[in-house]
Amino acid sequence: MGAGVSSDLDAQKGTTNFQLKTGLNDVPESCISSIFMYLDPPEICKLARLNKAFRGASLADFVWETKLPSNYRYLVEKVLGRNPDSLCKKETFARLCSPNRFDGGNKEVWLDKNSGKLCLSVSAKAMKITGIDDRRYWNHIPTEESRFETVAYLQQIWWFEVVGELEFEFPPGSYSVFFRLHLGKPSKRFGRRVCNLDQVHGWNTKPVRFQLSTSTGHQISSECYLYEPGNWVHYHAGDFVIDDSNPTTKIKFSMMQIDCTHTKGGLCVDSVFIYPSEFRQMRFK
C-alpha cells in the first residue's frame, strides 16, 4: 500500500511539473513588442531570431515608429520618393539606414542604425569652389576613398574658397558640421596606397577660416591650420541647434584662405558631413 501511495504522489508531481512548464513561445507578442520599444534596433533584430513569437513582435509598426526620427515622413517622400504610408515602419527604418542620394546624387542621407539619428553628407561637386572650372587650378579625380567616388583636387591657387548650402528638414537636436579634407594626392600603385605630397604647400603660412550660418540665426567662425599630410581629417566648422519650430532650415558652410600673398595647393576636398553633435567625440577624435 505504501508503494502505491508513493507511486500516485510521483505521478501527480510529474503532472504538476508538466503543467507549470512554460517557455519563450508562451510569451504574448504584445508583451514582447512592449519590451522591444526600449531596445536598440540591432538588439531587436538579434532577438527576432529566437522564435516565431519574437519575430512577429519585431514586425510591429509601433515598435519601429519609436526608432524613426520625427521627420521620417519627409525623408521617405524626399529621398525615397515614396508615400510614407506604403511602407511598414520596419522597412522604412531599414531603407533609411542605407545611404540614400538625392539632389542629383551629390548629397547623401542615412540614419545611424543604432540610434536612428540623422546623418548627412554633401559632395564637393555640390559646392561652389573658386576656379573649379579651370584645370590649371582644380581637377576632379576618382578615388575609392570617397563615398562619392570622386574628390576635388587643388593643384595650386592664390584665392581659395569653398562654399556649400543645404536646405533640409532636420529633427530637433544639436548638429555638428565637418569638412573632410586631405593634404596630398592619394592613389594606388600595384595595389598599395600611395600619396603624392609634391604639391602640398601654403597651408602652414596662414590658417583656413571655417564659417557656418543658418536661417535660424546661428553664426560661427573659426580658424585652423591644415595638418596631417597623407591622412583624411575632419575639420570642425561649427554646431547648430534645431528646435521643434523649424520645419526646414537653410545652412551655409564655407572654408577660405584668401590671403593672396602666397599660393597654396596639394589639397583634396571630399565632402561636408553633418552629424548629431553627440557623435563628435565617438567619430572624430
Side-chain angles (χ1 to χ4, degrees):
M1 180 176 177
V5 172
S6 176
S7 177
D8 290 341
L9 289 174
D10 288 342
Q12 292 176 9
K13 184 177 179 181
T15 303
T16 303
N17 287 341
F18 176 78
Q19 291 174 342
L20 294 177
K21 187 177 180 181
T22 58
L24 290 176
N25 287 321
D26 300 307
V27 182
E29 284 189 12
S30 59
C31 292
I32 301 172
S33 298
S34 298
I35 296 172
F36 280 173
M37 292 177 64
Y38 299 95
L39 301 181
D40 293 333
E43 295 174 322
I44 296 174
C45 293
K46 288 180 181 178
L47 290 173
R49 302 171 188 166
L50 286 176
N51 57 40
K52 184 178 180 180
F54 275 71
R55 183 179 181 279
S58 72
L59 300 176
D61 272 353
F62 72 86
V63 170
W64 290 98
E65 191 159 14
T66 64
K67 313 305 174 188
L68 289 165
S70 59
N71 69 333
Y72 79 90
R73 299 184 69 87
Y74 166 85
L75 294 174
V76 172
E77 291 176 351
K78 180 177 179 65
V79 179
L80 301 182
R82 298 285 298 272
N83 181 341
D85 297 323
S86 67
L87 301 172
C88 69
K89 298 300 185 291
K90 183 178 181 180
E91 184 178 0
T92 299
F93 185 87
R95 291 198 181 194
L96 291 178
C97 281
S98 299
N100 293 283
R101 295 189 179 180
F102 63 103
D103 284 1
N106 292 322
K107 297 172 184 175
E108 201 169 66
V109 62
W110 67 98
L111 301 183
D112 176 70
K113 66 179 180 180
N114 293 307
S115 64
K117 300 285 187 179
L118 181 75
C119 305
L120 275 159
S121 183
V122 181
S123 166
K125 286 189 173 182
M127 303 183 220
K128 297 178 181 178
I129 302 177
T130 301
I132 189 65
D133 295 324
D134 194 327
R135 293 296 173 263
R136 294 175 299 173
Y137 306 130
W138 290 89
N139 283 300
H140 286 290
I141 60 173
T143 175
E144 297 176 355
E145 298 183 13
S146 169
R147 63 190 308 120
F148 294 101
E149 296 89 34
T150 182
V151 298
Y153 177 70
L154 172 65
Q155 299 175 93
Q156 179 174 289
I157 205 167
W158 293 89
W159 184 290
F160 172 77
E161 185 173 14
V162 179
V163 180
E165 294 183 348
L166 175 69
E167 184 173 357
F168 206 78
E169 182 180 316
F170 291 88
S174 177
Y175 296 86
S176 297
V177 179
F178 300 86
F179 278 84
R180 185 172 187 260
L181 310 174
H182 184 287
L183 288 175
K185 188 176 183 180
S187 61
K188 278 193 174 182
R189 183 178 300 168
F190 303 114
R192 300 184 61 183
R193 186 184 192 271
V194 295
C195 184
N196 188 332
L197 303 178
D198 293 345
Q199 293 180 313
V200 177
H201 69 284
W203 304 109
N204 58 353
T205 305
K206 290 288 181 68
V208 172
R209 175 177 290 273
F210 296 93
Q211 293 181 312
L212 171 67
S213 62
T214 71
S215 57
T216 57
H218 287 83
Q219 291 188 349
I220 189 170
S221 65
S222 60
E223 291 186 345
C224 177
Y225 287 94
L226 304 189
Y227 53 90
E228 289 192 36
N231 294 301
W232 288 103
V233 179
H234 293 83
Y235 294 88
H236 184 220
D239 299 335
F240 63 94
V241 177
I242 301 296
D243 58 38
D244 292 320
S245 62
N246 306 126
T248 58
T249 303
K250 292 182 179 180
I251 305 169
K252 184 176 182 179
F253 39 85
S254 65
M255 58 179 296
M256 60 185 70
Q257 216 277 37
I258 56 177
D259 185 339
C260 293
T261 61
H262 67 285
T263 61
K264 37 268 177 187
L267 176 70
C268 288
V269 179
D270 173 34
S271 57
V272 164
F273 282 93
I274 302 175
Y275 276 109
S277 296
E278 63 202 71
F279 289 2
R280 182 179 174 186
Q281 295 300 321
M282 294 187 290
R283 300 182 183 233
F284 306 128
K285 291 182 178 179

